Amino acid sequence: MASAKNQSAQATARRAKLEEARRKERARERRVRIITISASVAVVASLVAGGGYLMARANEQEKAEEQAKTSPVTGERSWDKLTQEHVATPVNYPMTPPVGGDHNQVWMNCNADVYTKEIQKENAVHSLEHGAVWVTYNDKASDADVKALTKRVESTPYSFMSPVADQKDPLMLSAWGKQVTVKSASDERVAQFFTKYVQGAQTPEPGAACTGGLGA
């Protein structure tokens, strides 16, 4: 009889332990679910907030670019009714660097190309016709400005850069029919000029190649 009672007591104790273990497991699973749900909610909230922030930033950038394209560039000079004939002889341009006019039938490569020596102006003008921005400098430009503008050109398709010894100002930017002198590489007009005129509305032949022409 005693043995039966002991067995019954032991079985009861085992059931109690098992039930307690199951209770603890259920409690642990509830905690895990709560933590998982809370983390998921936090992640979703973060993504929503982050997405809203990124969208706001994108909208701000789009507005800034649109403003840069529609606002005049301070100090900019413009020329209209520029001729576009292909010639095989040197051209006497009325401005230096030239911003348009008759030009060589072969363009200078302008796919983020940086030239460390002077290039033929007749070839460079053809690149402007394709919608490129031409960055030029003379020996009065600082090494720091030349380096910074080189970095910008190297990261911008439809732009190219070269020295022009006889230009009147140290740093100049040119597009087809457009030109501006800037004070330094950090001049805010540099970014605006690139935004406005790289494949801009002034381009006579938008989408024309900037590769496959004349290289260094």
Side-chain angles (χ1 to χ4, degrees):
M1 182 67 70
S3 177
K5 288 182 178 180
N6 287 338
Q7 290 178 355
S8 178
Q10 290 174 357
T12 300
R14 285 195 298 271
R15 285 195 297 271
K17 286 183 178 180
L18 181 59
E19 183 59 32
E20 178 64 15
R22 288 174 177 170
R23 186 189 66 78
K24 289 181 178 179
E25 179 62 20
R26 289 193 296 270
R28 187 190 68 80
E29 289 175 352
R30 283 196 299 272
R31 289 196 300 272
V32 170
R33 284 198 298 271
I34 291 171
I35 292 171
T36 301
I37 292 171
S38 299
S40 299
V41 170
V43 168
V44 170
S46 176
L47 289 173
V48 170
Y53 172 75
L54 292 175
M55 287 182 64
R57 282 294 301 275
N59 288 336
E60 288 176 5
Q61 185 174 356
E62 185 176 344
K63 289 180 181 178
E65 289 181 356
E66 185 61 29
Q67 185 175 3
K69 290 179 180 179
T70 56
S71 301
V73 178
T74 303
E76 175 187 274
R77 297 174 293 280
S78 297
W79 291 263
D80 298 321
K81 299 179 181 178
L82 296 166
T83 57
Q84 295 175 242
E85 297 298 324
H86 286 176
V87 297
T89 57
V91 179
N92 184 23
Y93 294 106
M95 76 293 287
T96 302
V99 299
D102 293 345
H103 50 269
N104 193 280
Q105 65 178 351
V106 181
W107 57 90
M108 289 301 301
N109 288 335
C110 46
N111 190 36
D113 290 275
V114 174
Y115 302 99
T116 57
K117 295 181 180 180
E118 291 208 41
I119 58 179
Q120 289 294 325
K121 295 174 182 178
E122 292 80 10
N123 302 100
V125 169
H126 197 156
S127 302
L128 302 185
E129 186 182 46
H130 289 190
V133 163
W134 184 16
V135 177
T136 57
Y137 60 96
N138 62 21
D139 58 4
K140 295 180 181 178
S142 72
D143 291 341
D145 283 332
V146 172
K147 184 177 180 180
L149 288 170
T150 295
K151 186 176 180 180
R152 177 180 284 275
V153 169
E154 288 177 337
S155 63
T156 309
Y158 282 93
S159 75
F160 63 116
M161 180 175 178
S162 72
V164 175
D166 58 344
Q167 68 179 37
K168 67 183 182 68
D169 297 309
L171 299 171
M172 300 177 72
L173 308 180
S174 302
W176 183 269
K178 307 293 181 181
Q179 191 170 83
V180 68
T181 292
V182 294
K183 297 177 180 179
S184 68
S186 60
D187 190 318
E188 62 183 11
R189 293 174 298 171
V190 173
Q192 184 185 5
F193 200 90
F194 271 75
T195 299
K196 189 168 186 174
Y197 294 128
V198 168
Q199 284 287 285
Q202 87 294 340
T203 305
E205 297 181 2
C210 249
T211 59
L214 187 63

PDB file of all heavy atoms in Angstrom, residues 90-117:
ATOM      1  N   PRO A  90      41.369  76.050 -88.998  1.00  0.00           N
ATOM      2  CA  PRO A  90      41.237  76.747 -87.714  1.00  0.00           C
ATOM      3  C   PRO A  90      40.136  77.804 -87.772  1.00  0.00           C
ATOM      4  O   PRO A  90      39.873  78.396 -88.818  1.00  0.00           O
ATOM      5  CB  PRO A  90      42.613  77.393 -87.520  1.00  0.00           C
ATOM      6  CG  PRO A  90      43.545  76.553 -88.330  1.00  0.00           C
ATOM      7  CD  PRO A  90      42.748  76.125 -89.533  1.00  0.00           C
ATOM      8  N   VAL A  91      39.471  78.027 -86.644  1.00  0.00           N
ATOM      9  CA  VAL A  91      38.385  78.999 -86.556  1.00  0.00           C
ATOM     10  C   VAL A  91      38.817  80.135 -85.628  1.00  0.00           C
ATOM     11  O   VAL A  91      39.365  79.891 -84.549  1.00  0.00           O
ATOM     12  CB  VAL A  91      37.092  78.345 -86.020  1.00  0.00           C
ATOM     13  CG1 VAL A  91      35.980  79.389 -85.905  1.00  0.00           C
ATOM     14  CG2 VAL A  91      36.658  77.194 -86.919  1.00  0.00           C
ATOM     15  N   ASN A  92      38.567  81.369 -86.048  1.00  0.00           N
ATOM     16  CA  ASN A  92      38.871  82.531 -85.214  1.00  0.00           C
ATOM     17  C   ASN A  92      37.633  82.854 -84.376  1.00  0.00           C
ATOM     18  O   ASN A  92      36.721  83.559 -84.823  1.00  0.00           O
ATOM     19  CB  ASN A  92      39.255  83.723 -86.098  1.00  0.00           C
ATOM     20  CG  ASN A  92      39.674  84.933 -85.269  1.00  0.00           C
ATOM     21  OD1 ASN A  92      40.077  84.792 -84.117  1.00  0.00           O
ATOM     22  ND2 ASN A  92      39.572  86.113 -85.852  1.00  0.00           N
ATOM     23  N   TYR A  93      37.586  82.334 -83.171  1.00  0.00           N
ATOM     24  CA  TYR A  93      36.416  82.514 -82.309  1.00  0.00           C
ATOM     25  C   TYR A  93      36.449  83.888 -81.629  1.00  0.00           C
ATOM     26  O   TYR A  93      37.523  84.381 -81.259  1.00  0.00           O
ATOM     27  CB  TYR A  93      36.374  81.417 -81.249  1.00  0.00           C
ATOM     28  CG  TYR A  93      36.134  80.030 -81.813  1.00  0.00           C
ATOM     29  CD1 TYR A  93      37.173  79.103 -81.885  1.00  0.00           C
ATOM     30  CD2 TYR A  93      34.876  79.653 -82.274  1.00  0.00           C
ATOM     31  CE1 TYR A  93      36.959  77.826 -82.396  1.00  0.00           C
ATOM     32  CE2 TYR A  93      34.651  78.381 -82.788  1.00  0.00           C
ATOM     33  CZ  TYR A  93      35.706  77.470 -82.854  1.00  0.00           C
ATOM     34  OH  TYR A  93      35.486  76.221 -83.367  1.00  0.00           O
ATOM     35  N   PRO A  94      35.293  84.500 -81.417  1.00  0.00           N
ATOM     36  CA  PRO A  94      35.251  85.831 -80.795  1.00  0.00           C
ATOM     37  C   PRO A  94      35.373  85.808 -79.271  1.00  0.00           C
ATOM     38  O   PRO A  94      35.439  86.861 -78.644  1.00  0.00           O
ATOM     39  CB  PRO A  94      33.879  86.364 -81.218  1.00  0.00           C
ATOM     40  CG  PRO A  94      33.036  85.142 -81.378  1.00  0.00           C
ATOM     41  CD  PRO A  94      33.966  84.084 -81.912  1.00  0.00           C
ATOM     42  N   MET A  95      35.390  84.631 -78.688  1.00  0.00           N
ATOM     43  CA  MET A  95      35.531  84.526 -77.232  1.00  0.00           C
ATOM     44  C   MET A  95      36.509  83.400 -76.914  1.00  0.00           C
ATOM     45  O   MET A  95      36.713  82.489 -77.698  1.00  0.00           O
ATOM     46  CB  MET A  95      34.166  84.279 -76.562  1.00  0.00           C
ATOM     47  CG  MET A  95      33.620  82.874 -76.691  1.00  0.00           C
ATOM     48  SD  MET A  95      33.143  82.368 -78.382  1.00  0.00           S
ATOM     49  CE  MET A  95      31.639  83.314 -78.623  1.00  0.00           C
ATOM     50  N   THR A  96      37.144  83.518 -75.731  1.00  0.00           N
ATOM     51  CA  THR A  96      38.111  82.503 -75.294  1.00  0.00           C
ATOM     52  C   THR A  96      37.809  82.105 -73.856  1.00  0.00           C
ATOM     53  O   THR A  96      37.811  82.965 -72.978  1.00  0.00           O
ATOM     54  CB  THR A  96      39.560  83.052 -75.371  1.00  0.00           C
ATOM     55  OG1 THR A  96      39.835  83.461 -76.706  1.00  0.00           O
ATOM     56  CG2 THR A  96      40.568  81.992 -74.952  1.00  0.00           C
ATOM     57  N   PRO A  97      37.554  80.822 -73.624  1.00  0.00           N
ATOM     58  CA  PRO A  97      37.425  79.735 -74.594  1.00  0.00           C
ATOM     59  C   PRO A  97      36.163  79.917 -75.453  1.00  0.00           C
ATOM     60  O   PRO A  97      35.215  80.584 -75.029  1.00  0.00           O
ATOM     61  CB  PRO A  97      37.314  78.479 -73.722  1.00  0.00           C
ATOM     62  CG  PRO A  97      37.749  78.891 -72.360  1.00  0.00           C
ATOM     63  CD  PRO A  97      37.421  80.341 -72.242  1.00  0.00           C
ATOM     64  N   PRO A  98      36.116  79.317 -76.606  1.00  0.00           N
ATOM     65  CA  PRO A  98      34.921  79.440 -77.450  1.00  0.00           C
ATOM     66  C   PRO A  98      33.747  78.657 -76.868  1.00  0.00           C
ATOM     67  O   PRO A  98      33.935  77.640 -76.206  1.00  0.00           O
ATOM     68  CB  PRO A  98      35.368  78.847 -78.779  1.00  0.00           C
ATOM     69  CG  PRO A  98      36.469  77.898 -78.422  1.00  0.00           C
ATOM     70  CD  PRO A  98      37.171  78.510 -77.250  1.00  0.00           C
ATOM     71  N   VAL A  99      32.539  79.168 -77.136  1.00  0.00           N
ATOM     72  CA  VAL A  99      31.343  78.500 -76.618  1.00  0.00           C
ATOM     73  C   VAL A  99      30.433  78.017 -77.743  1.00  0.00           C
ATOM     74  O   VAL A  99      29.316  77.558 -77.497  1.00  0.00           O
ATOM     75  CB  VAL A  99      30.549  79.432 -75.678  1.00  0.00           C
ATOM     76  CG1 VAL A  99      31.389  79.843 -74.489  1.00  0.00           C
ATOM     77  CG2 VAL A  99      30.044  80.664 -76.431  1.00  0.00           C
ATOM     78  N   GLY A 100      30.891  78.110 -78.981  1.00  0.00           N
ATOM     79  CA  GLY A 100      30.071  77.672 -80.097  1.00  0.00           C
ATOM     80  C   GLY A 100      30.579  78.252 -81.394  1.00  0.00           C
ATOM     81  O   GLY A 100      31.529  79.045 -81.419  1.00  0.00           O
ATOM     82  N   GLY A 101      29.942  77.844 -82.470  1.00  0.00           N
ATOM     83  CA  GLY A 101      30.346  78.287 -83.787  1.00  0.00           C
ATOM     84  C   GLY A 101      30.788  77.115 -84.636  1.00  0.00           C
ATOM     85  O   GLY A 101      30.637  75.946 -84.242  1.00  0.00           O
ATOM     86  N   ASP A 102      31.333  77.409 -85.793  1.00  0.00           N
ATOM     87  CA  ASP A 102      31.835  76.343 -86.664  1.00  0.00           C
ATOM     88  C   ASP A 102      32.915  75.549 -85.934  1.00  0.00           C
ATOM     89  O   ASP A 102      33.633  76.092 -85.080  1.00  0.00           O
ATOM     90  CB  ASP A 102      32.418  76.953 -87.944  1.00  0.00           C
ATOM     91  CG  ASP A 102      31.341  77.611 -88.797  1.00  0.00           C
ATOM     92  OD1 ASP A 102      30.152  77.362 -88.557  1.00  0.00           O
ATOM     93  OD2 ASP A 102      31.712  78.404 -89.697  1.00  0.00           O
ATOM     94  N   HIS A 103      33.042  74.278 -86.269  1.00  0.00           N
ATOM     95  CA  HIS A 103      33.948  73.429 -85.507  1.00  0.00           C
ATOM     96  C   HIS A 103      34.376  72.209 -86.323  1.00  0.00           C
ATOM     97  O   HIS A 103      33.787  71.910 -87.352  1.00  0.00           O
ATOM     98  CB  HIS A 103      33.282  72.971 -84.207  1.00  0.00           C
ATOM     99  CG  HIS A 103      31.913  72.398 -84.425  1.00  0.00           C
ATOM    100  ND1 HIS A 103      30.773  73.177 -84.380  1.00  0.00           N
ATOM    101  CD2 HIS A 103      31.481  71.140 -84.711  1.00  0.00           C
ATOM    102  CE1 HIS A 103      29.708  72.421 -84.613  1.00  0.00           C
ATOM    103  NE2 HIS A 103      30.113  71.184 -84.829  1.00  0.00           N
ATOM    104  N   ASN A 104      35.372  71.526 -85.806  1.00  0.00           N
ATOM    105  CA  ASN A 104      35.864  70.318 -86.453  1.00  0.00           C
ATOM    106  C   ASN A 104      34.800  69.225 -86.396  1.00  0.00           C
ATOM    107  O   ASN A 104      34.010  69.160 -85.454  1.00  0.00           O
ATOM    108  CB  ASN A 104      37.149  69.850 -85.763  1.00  0.00           C
ATOM    109  CG  ASN A 104      37.886  68.786 -86.566  1.00  0.00           C
ATOM    110  OD1 ASN A 104      37.532  67.611 -86.531  1.00  0.00           O
ATOM    111  ND2 ASN A 104      38.919  69.197 -87.273  1.00  0.00           N
ATOM    112  N   GLN A 105      34.798  68.361 -87.396  1.00  0.00           N
ATOM    113  CA  GLN A 105      33.778  67.304 -87.443  1.00  0.00           C
ATOM    114  C   GLN A 105      33.989  66.229 -86.375  1.00  0.00           C
ATOM    115  O   GLN A 105      33.084  65.434 -86.100  1.00  0.00           O
ATOM    116  CB  GLN A 105      33.766  66.649 -88.813  1.00  0.00           C
ATOM    117  CG  GLN A 105      35.037  65.890 -89.170  1.00  0.00           C
ATOM    118  CD  GLN A 105      34.950  65.215 -90.526  1.00  0.00           C
ATOM    119  OE1 GLN A 105      33.874  65.168 -91.133  1.00  0.00           O
ATOM    120  NE2 GLN A 105      36.066  64.696 -91.013  1.00  0.00           N
ATOM    121  N   VAL A 106      35.174  66.205 -85.736  1.00  0.00           N
ATOM    122  CA  VAL A 106      35.457  65.233 -84.673  1.00  0.00           C
ATOM    123  C   VAL A 106      35.416  65.949 -83.320  1.00  0.00           C
ATOM    124  O   VAL A 106      36.070  66.971 -83.140  1.00  0.00           O
ATOM    125  CB  VAL A 106      36.842  64.568 -84.866  1.00  0.00           C
ATOM    126  CG1 VAL A 106      37.093  63.543 -83.767  1.00  0.00           C
ATOM    127  CG2 VAL A 106      36.932  63.929 -86.249  1.00  0.00           C
ATOM    128  N   TRP A 107      34.652  65.430 -82.401  1.00  0.00           N
ATOM    129  CA  TRP A 107      34.558  66.031 -81.070  1.00  0.00           C
ATOM    130  C   TRP A 107      35.666  65.514 -80.156  1.00  0.00           C
ATOM    131  O   TRP A 107      36.221  64.438 -80.369  1.00  0.00           O
ATOM    132  CB  TRP A 107      33.187  65.727 -80.446  1.00  0.00           C
ATOM    133  CG  TRP A 107      32.879  64.262 -80.344  1.00  0.00           C
ATOM    134  CD1 TRP A 107      33.154  63.423 -79.310  1.00  0.00           C
ATOM    135  CD2 TRP A 107      32.248  63.448 -81.333  1.00  0.00           C
ATOM    136  NE1 TRP A 107      32.744  62.142 -79.580  1.00  0.00           N
ATOM    137  CE2 TRP A 107      32.179  62.126 -80.824  1.00  0.00           C
ATOM    138  CE3 TRP A 107      31.729  63.705 -82.612  1.00  0.00           C
ATOM    139  CZ2 TRP A 107      31.616  61.082 -81.534  1.00  0.00           C
ATOM    140  CZ3 TRP A 107      31.164  62.661 -83.325  1.00  0.00           C
ATOM    141  CH2 TRP A 107      31.123  61.363 -82.788  1.00  0.00           C
ATOM    142  N   MET A 108      35.964  66.279 -79.107  1.00  0.00           N
ATOM    143  CA  MET A 108      36.836  65.782 -78.043  1.00  0.00           C
ATOM    144  C   MET A 108      36.017  64.841 -77.165  1.00  0.00           C
ATOM    145  O   MET A 108      34.848  65.129 -76.873  1.00  0.00           O
ATOM    146  CB  MET A 108      37.360  66.926 -77.177  1.00  0.00           C
ATOM    147  CG  MET A 108      38.384  67.833 -77.835  1.00  0.00           C
ATOM    148  SD  MET A 108      39.893  66.998 -78.392  1.00  0.00           S
ATOM    149  CE  MET A 108      40.530  66.272 -76.872  1.00  0.00           C
ATOM    150  N   ASN A 109      36.601  63.742 -76.749  1.00  0.00           N
ATOM    151  CA  ASN A 109      35.899  62.881 -75.791  1.00  0.00           C
ATOM    152  C   ASN A 109      35.570  63.700 -74.549  1.00  0.00           C
ATOM    153  O   ASN A 109      36.420  64.411 -74.000  1.00  0.00           O
ATOM    154  CB  ASN A 109      36.760  61.679 -75.424  1.00  0.00           C
ATOM    155  CG  ASN A 109      36.847  60.678 -76.570  1.00  0.00           C
ATOM    156  OD1 ASN A 109      35.960  60.616 -77.424  1.00  0.00           O
ATOM    157  ND2 ASN A 109      37.916  59.895 -76.591  1.00  0.00           N
ATOM    158  N   CYS A 110      34.335  63.611 -74.129  1.00  0.00           N
ATOM    159  CA  CYS A 110      33.865  64.458 -73.028  1.00  0.00           C
ATOM    160  C   CYS A 110      33.077  63.641 -72.003  1.00  0.00           C
ATOM    161  O   CYS A 110      32.160  64.144 -71.358  1.00  0.00           O
ATOM    162  CB  CYS A 110      33.027  65.606 -73.556  1.00  0.00           C
ATOM    163  SG  CYS A 110      31.779  65.142 -74.812  1.00  0.00           S
ATOM    164  N   ASN A 111      33.451  62.388 -71.882  1.00  0.00           N
ATOM    165  CA  ASN A 111      32.792  61.509 -70.916  1.00  0.00           C
ATOM    166  C   ASN A 111      33.597  61.481 -69.618  1.00  0.00           C
ATOM    167  O   ASN A 111      34.244  60.499 -69.282  1.00  0.00           O
ATOM    168  CB  ASN A 111      32.648  60.099 -71.491  1.00  0.00           C
ATOM    169  CG  ASN A 111      31.759  59.212 -70.649  1.00  0.00           C
ATOM    170  OD1 ASN A 111      30.772  59.686 -70.082  1.00  0.00           O
ATOM    171  ND2 ASN A 111      32.090  57.944 -70.555  1.00  0.00           N
ATOM    172  N   ALA A 112      33.593  62.638 -68.917  1.00  0.00           N
ATOM    173  CA  ALA A 112      34.370  62.808 -67.684  1.00  0.00           C
ATOM    174  C   ALA A 112      35.879  62.783 -67.968  1.00  0.00           C
ATOM    175  O   ALA A 112      36.659  62.276 -67.173  1.00  0.00           O
ATOM    176  CB  ALA A 112      33.995  61.754 -66.645  1.00  0.00           C
ATOM    177  N   ASP A 113      36.258  63.348 -69.099  1.00  0.00           N
ATOM    178  CA  ASP A 113      37.663  63.342 -69.519  1.00  0.00           C
ATOM    179  C   ASP A 113      38.399  64.579 -69.017  1.00  0.00           C
ATOM    180  O   ASP A 113      37.908  65.708 -69.156  1.00  0.00           O
ATOM    181  CB  ASP A 113      37.750  63.286 -71.043  1.00  0.00           C
ATOM    182  CG  ASP A 113      37.302  61.942 -71.594  1.00  0.00           C
ATOM    183  OD1 ASP A 113      38.131  61.028 -71.647  1.00  0.00           O
ATOM    184  OD2 ASP A 113      36.111  61.820 -71.951  1.00  0.00           O
ATOM    185  N   VAL A 114      39.579  64.364 -68.455  1.00  0.00           N
ATOM    186  CA  VAL A 114      40.424  65.455 -67.966  1.00  0.00           C
ATOM    187  C   VAL A 114      41.715  65.461 -68.782  1.00  0.00           C
ATOM    188  O   VAL A 114      42.456  64.484 -68.791  1.00  0.00           O
ATOM    189  CB  VAL A 114      40.741  65.295 -66.464  1.00  0.00           C
ATOM    190  CG1 VAL A 114      41.733  66.358 -66.007  1.00  0.00           C
ATOM    191  CG2 VAL A 114      39.458  65.381 -65.639  1.00  0.00           C
ATOM    192  N   TYR A 115      41.956  66.581 -69.467  1.00  0.00           N
ATOM    193  CA  TYR A 115      43.167  66.739 -70.281  1.00  0.00           C
ATOM    194  C   TYR A 115      44.122  67.675 -69.555  1.00  0.00           C
ATOM    195  O   TYR A 115      43.721  68.757 -69.110  1.00  0.00           O
ATOM    196  CB  TYR A 115      42.806  67.306 -71.660  1.00  0.00           C
ATOM    197  CG  TYR A 115      41.815  66.452 -72.414  1.00  0.00           C
ATOM    198  CD1 TYR A 115      40.455  66.769 -72.431  1.00  0.00           C
ATOM    199  CD2 TYR A 115      42.228  65.303 -73.087  1.00  0.00           C
ATOM    200  CE1 TYR A 115      39.537  65.981 -73.107  1.00  0.00           C
ATOM    201  CE2 TYR A 115      41.321  64.511 -73.773  1.00  0.00           C
ATOM    202  CZ  TYR A 115      39.977  64.846 -73.771  1.00  0.00           C
ATOM    203  OH  TYR A 115      39.068  64.047 -74.443  1.00  0.00           O
ATOM    204  N   THR A 116      45.359  67.287 -69.444  1.00  0.00           N
ATOM    205  CA  THR A 116      46.349  68.090 -68.726  1.00  0.00           C
ATOM    206  C   THR A 116      47.128  69.011 -69.656  1.00  0.00           C
ATOM    207  O   THR A 116      47.915  69.843 -69.190  1.00  0.00           O
ATOM    208  CB  THR A 116      47.326  67.184 -67.965  1.00  0.00           C
ATOM    209  OG1 THR A 116      47.951  66.282 -68.891  1.00  0.00           O
ATOM    210  CG2 THR A 116      46.592  66.381 -66.899  1.00  0.00           C
ATOM    211  N   LYS A 117      46.921  68.859 -70.964  1.00  0.00           N
ATOM    212  CA  LYS A 117      47.524  69.760 -71.934  1.00  0.00           C
ATOM    213  C   LYS A 117      46.411  70.406 -72.762  1.00  0.00           C
ATOM    214  O   LYS A 117      45.292  69.907 -72.810  1.00  0.00           O
ATOM    215  CB  LYS A 117      48.490  68.994 -72.841  1.00  0.00           C
ATOM    216  CG  LYS A 117      49.689  68.424 -72.098  1.00  0.00           C
ATOM    217  CD  LYS A 117      50.632  67.695 -73.055  1.00  0.00           C
ATOM    218  CE  LYS A 117      51.836  67.133 -72.303  1.00  0.00           C
ATOM    219  NZ  LYS A 117      52.775  66.411 -73.220  1.00  0.00           N
TER     220      LYS A 117
END
